[in-house]
Amino acid sequence: MRIEVLEILDAERREVRFRSELGDAWGVWQADVVPSEGQFDVEVDIPEEISTWLPGEGDADRLDGDPSRRQAVTVRGTVQTVDEDSVTSLRVGRDIVLIEMANETVPPQPGSTITFETPEIHLYPYQL
């Protein structure tokens, strides 16, 4: 996913505010290099299990959250696959994000659009 880092929110925790084609959000930078403002290609990781989700409302995929509160990031995308081990692949925009559903959670069906909140996302920068 192509993002633009707009602000370093917490240099010690490596929290950044960023913008992408899917919305504005915040995330935790996962690299040896301290984050800086600018454009980067990143892989998005959801580190927490998803215990609740809702059918997606609206057509547009989302990745957004209020960076001033840093309480949750909202993700909306289309389920591609659901594996036996509860790992679900979700198309969010042009990217695939892997999420793990909690064991007690009823998994969504492939092809369905879902929305959920996660306490934080991790951003792994890479070079093309």
Side-chain angles (χ1 to χ4, degrees):
M1 175 178 296
R2 185 77 169 166
I3 67 166
E4 179 181 3
V5 173
L6 303 171
E7 178 183 8
I8 310 304
L9 299 170
D10 184 329
E12 188 174 314
R13 282 211 64 225
R14 297 183 182 218
E15 293 177 352
V16 299
R17 178 173 69 95
F18 68 91
R19 173 175 295 139
S20 75
E21 66 182 3
L22 303 173
D24 290 4
W26 68 278
V28 181
W29 194 256
Q30 302 291 312
D32 293 334
V33 180
V34 176
S36 61
E37 294 178 8
Q39 293 194 2
F40 301 92
D41 292 304
V42 298
E43 181 178 321
V44 173
D45 179 55
I46 311 293
E48 301 288 325
E49 285 186 338
I50 305 304
S51 57
T52 59
W53 58 271
L54 297 170
E57 295 178 8
D59 295 332
D61 292 345
R62 290 176 56 179
L63 183 66
D64 60 16
D66 184 351
S68 64
R69 294 184 343 189
R70 297 197 295 260
Q71 293 179 345
V73 176
T74 301
V75 179
R76 179 172 51 224
T78 303
V79 176
Q80 301 298 295
T81 60
V82 179
D83 294 336
E84 291 177 16
D85 61 358
S86 301
V87 174
T88 301
S89 64
L90 187 70
R91 178 166 298 284
V92 182
R94 292 180 235 161
D95 296 282
I96 296 291
V97 176
L98 297 178
I99 56 176
E100 186 171 347
M101 294 288 179
N103 287 335
E104 66 278 358
T105 303
V106 175
Q109 294 297 310
S112 63
T113 300
I114 64 169
T115 300
F116 62 89
E117 288 189 343
T118 183
E120 68 181 32
I121 62 172
H122 290 176
L123 305 170
Y124 290 87
Y126 63 87
Q127 299 288 328
L128 288 177

